Amino acid sequence: MPEVHGLTAELCFGFGLLSITLLFLLAWQGVPGIERVLTSPARRVLTNSVFPIGAQILNRAVDLVFAAFALRLLGVTGNGQYAIATVTWLYLKTISDLGLSVLVTREIAKDRAVAPQLLGQSTLLRWLALLALAPVIVLLSLAGPRWLHLAPASVHAILLLYLSIIPSSFSEAINSVFNGYEQMHLPAILTVFTNLGRAGFGLAALFSGYGVTGLAGVACGVTALSALAFRVALRHLQVRPQWHLPLDRARLLLQTTWPLLLNGLLITVFFRIDTYVVQGFQGDHALGIYDAAYKLPNLLPIIPAYFVMAIFPTLTRHAQGGKLRESFLLAAKFLWLLAWPIVMGTLALAPFMIRILGGRAFLPEAATALRILIWFAPLHFVNGVAQYAMIAVDQQRTIAYAYLLATGFNMAANLVLVPHFGYVAAAVTTVLTELVLFFPLARSLNRHLGSIPWFSIVIRTVPAIASLGLAALFAAHLAVPLALLVLCCGGLLYLGLLVVCGALGSVEYHIVRDLIGRRAWQSVRG
């Protein structure tokens, strides 16, 4: 076995080295022939949509494959030790970003002449914010082992990941410049090869026995290489950063970006505060179980995010034309109906999913947590489109208030329930928090869009959802091939009952006909 692990580590290291080599080649060369594609506004918009979305999907796929190996190599406790470090990194990165990514992109899109100045200033301001967070890291390193029962490996990983934010801040600033220049294709591709390099070197470290600390060290090193590659790529824009940050300019940037920081921080706290509560009261092992279960639901927000991104221009136009309510209803209903097959399929196949992802060491506890967590999906999908409907009518403050309420509930419920019921309480709280978030958003929708017939939408889908639930209940007791067959049959019945009950009607009929084309539709019908 040591020989096999050694050979595998060498192969993974070679894969990582190849990925980093390609990263620098692409950074230097760029994307051949891309200039011919970006000849019109329409093509530019399409390219700037396809590349980031494709890169994000590829990165999620790489992360999932990496997790399948890492969970087995780290084990339950090791996964918990690394999970607390990565969530800490997420908070530190969100705070140190200060909302500057959006601001820099917006300002450079208005005037490209400010790019060198904003690139240097935003990077320096991020580094100052990171420096201001240093006492928090020191306190966490000293008091974390007592307050949160942090293992030494977790403390070392937190310190290394904290250092990794220094080069990643520069990469983020450069990425914002590319976005402002409407050339999002190259940074998107660079992130894919960075992620591939991190996965390759990370697996090499794990197979070599370096564990949690080695994984964090790899992340730090690859992030530094990625920042260097982004700096090389910056030559395509002929932009050189100006490293000068006057005090009055720093003050102005902070005054402009704090609402963006607040929203980003609320979203981060909303989703992952339970990590600290589970770690503090239940320890590494419980967090390892909970984090393994969380990895699969964590992939789902990509669905409403990209769907809403695609329809947001339409929502904005309809807000001006008075048709926003109808567009929102159609989008919300589509996402609501899409979520339920995902929920029921997960309920039926949760043990199989966890066994594939992490192995038997995480069963049955992680499967139980997954079966609870997955219930967040329907309301999360609806809340996603509701937020952008509020932005379309210039009601951004509603989103902040809603997230503030939901975050407060999430923190209170976790602190009260997790000490007694562990990660199961954290999973239930995640689902209930979506419900708490829904109510203020629904109230605002009724006020600004008109009355939304929520009861009518839900009640018409109940028979179809119930049929899908019965299929999932039956499939849960079968072997995986038979379970998949039963779920497919349940899915067909689900669609049929949606039509019979009136949840799908003439509007959806015309949309499907337009999507596949009239001739294709006629051939499908007969």
Side-chain angles (χ1 to χ4, degrees):
M1 186 63 70
E3 292 80 4
V4 174
H5 277 204
L7 177 60
T8 308
E10 292 174 1
L11 290 173
C12 291
F13 183 85
F15 177 80
L17 190 60
L18 175 63
S19 299
I20 295 299
T21 302
L22 292 174
L23 169 71
F24 278 95
L25 285 174
L26 280 166
W28 178 262
Q29 183 67 31
V31 182
I34 194 67
E35 293 80 8
R36 294 194 297 271
V37 177
L38 303 175
T39 54
S40 69
R43 288 184 175 184
R44 190 178 299 112
V45 170
L46 179 63
T47 302
N48 288 333
S49 300
V50 169
F51 273 88
I53 291 173
Q56 184 71 4
I57 293 172
L58 282 173
N59 284 331
R60 292 294 181 96
V62 171
D63 290 343
L64 198 60
V65 173
F66 176 78
F69 287 96
L71 288 175
R72 288 169 170 80
L73 293 168
L74 289 174
V76 177
T77 300
N79 183 54
Q81 292 172 354
Y82 195 62
I84 191 68
T86 55
V87 172
T88 302
W89 165 85
L90 177 62
Y91 279 103
L92 295 171
K93 187 173 183 296
T94 302
I95 296 172
S96 63
D97 183 73
L98 297 170
L100 287 166
S101 296
V102 176
L103 177 68
V104 171
T105 297
R106 186 187 72 186
E107 296 303 314
I108 293 176
K110 293 178 182 178
D111 182 10
R112 293 184 178 181
V114 302
Q117 178 184 2
L118 280 177
L119 173 57
Q121 290 176 350
S122 62
T123 303
L124 289 173
L125 196 56
R126 285 183 174 98
W127 286 345
L128 288 174
L130 198 60
L131 183 62
L133 291 169
V136 177
I137 297 300
V138 173
L139 178 63
L140 188 61
S141 301
L142 296 177
R146 176 178 295 180
W147 292 351
L148 296 174
H149 308 293
L150 294 182
S154 295
V155 174
H156 297 156
I158 289 171
L159 292 172
L160 288 167
L161 293 177
Y162 169 73
L163 294 176
S164 76
I165 303 176
I166 299 174
S168 74
S169 296
F170 189 39
S171 300
E172 288 290 336
I174 295 175
N175 186 58
S176 298
V177 174
F178 273 95
N179 291 344
Y181 272 70
E182 296 184 81
Q183 295 191 26
M184 304 175 187
H185 53 279
L186 185 54
I189 297 173
L190 295 182
T191 61
V192 172
F193 283 94
T194 297
N195 206 30
L196 289 171
R198 184 182 295 111
F201 288 135
L203 288 177
L206 290 177
F207 277 110
S208 299
Y210 291 106
V212 170
T213 304
L215 205 55
V218 164
C220 188
V222 171
T223 303
L225 291 173
S226 178
L228 182 58
F230 268 81
R231 179 62 183 89
V232 171
L234 193 60
R235 59 185 284 274
H236 298 288
L237 302 182
Q238 297 182 344
V239 174
R240 299 178 68 88
Q242 296 179 4
W243 301 105
H244 180 59
L245 181 61
L247 184 60
D248 58 340
R249 182 60 176 169
R251 188 182 299 111
L252 178 61
L253 287 173
L254 289 174
Q255 290 173 351
T256 307
T257 60
W258 76 263
L260 299 172
L261 169 62
L262 179 62
N263 282 341
L265 190 57
L266 282 174
I267 293 172
T268 306
V269 173
F270 167 68
F271 276 110
R272 298 315 306 261
I273 192 64
D274 51 8
T275 300
Y276 291 98
V277 181
V278 173
Q279 171 68 38
F281 287 102
Q282 301 289 320
D284 296 328
H285 188 274
L287 181 58
I289 292 291
Y290 184 60
D291 181 73
Y294 212 110
K295 290 186 183 301
L296 292 169
N298 199 38
L299 298 174
L300 295 182
I302 196 174
I303 297 174
Y306 288 141
F307 177 79
V308 171
M309 186 187 302
I311 68 168
F312 184 59
T314 302
L315 292 177
T316 304
R317 288 195 304 271
H318 286 180
Q320 298 172 347
K323 298 180 180 180
L324 180 58
R325 179 178 177 274
E326 290 73 16
S327 298
F328 168 76
L329 282 172
L330 188 62
K333 183 167 67 172
F334 171 78
L335 289 172
W336 172 263
L337 297 177
L338 178 64
W340 285 107
I342 297 173
V343 172
M344 298 305 173
T346 303
L347 291 177
L349 300 173
F352 173 72
M353 292 176 174
I354 294 297
R355 189 165 65 250
I356 293 296
L357 181 64
R360 297 184 181 277
F362 292 85
L363 291 172
E365 293 90 349
T368 301
L370 175 58
R371 280 172 164 158
I372 298 171
L373 281 169
I374 198 60
W375 287 93
F376 93 107
L379 277 178
H380 178 77
F381 283 16
V382 173
N383 287 338
V385 71
Q387 294 173 50
Y388 277 83
M390 287 293 92
I391 295 174
V393 293
D394 198 26
Q395 294 295 319
Q396 295 90 332
R397 290 186 178 182
T398 299
I399 301 173
Y401 294 145
Y403 266 109
L404 191 60
L405 176 64
T407 299
F409 168 80
N410 188 282
M411 294 177 66
N414 274 302
L415 288 171
V416 171
L417 298 176
V418 168
H420 302 287
F421 303 104
Y423 57 81
V424 172
V428 172
T429 299
T430 298
V431 178
L432 293 179
T433 304
E434 289 291 346
L435 186 63
V436 173
L437 180 63
F438 170 77
F439 283 117
L441 291 177
R443 183 181 178 184
S444 296
L445 287 169
N446 286 335
R447 183 186 305 122
H448 297 286
L449 272 66
S451 179
I452 306 295
W454 297 111
F455 181 78
S456 176
I457 293 174
V458 172
I459 202 68
R460 288 185 178 184
T461 61
V462 167
I465 294 171
S467 69
L468 200 58
L470 290 174
L473 184 63
F474 182 59
H477 301 284
L478 300 174
V480 172
L482 290 176
L484 291 173
L485 179 61
V486 170
L487 289 173
C488 288
C489 294
L492 294 175
L493 180 60
Y494 174 70
L495 290 174
L497 287 174
L498 288 175
V499 175
V500 170
C501 297
L504 297 178
S506 59
V507 175
E508 291 78 15
Y509 166 85
H510 287 99
I511 291 174
V512 172
R513 189 181 67 175
D514 291 341
L515 283 174
I516 68 176
R518 292 176 181 266
R519 292 182 180 180
W521 178 255
Q522 291 173 356
S523 65
V524 169
R525 294 185 64 187

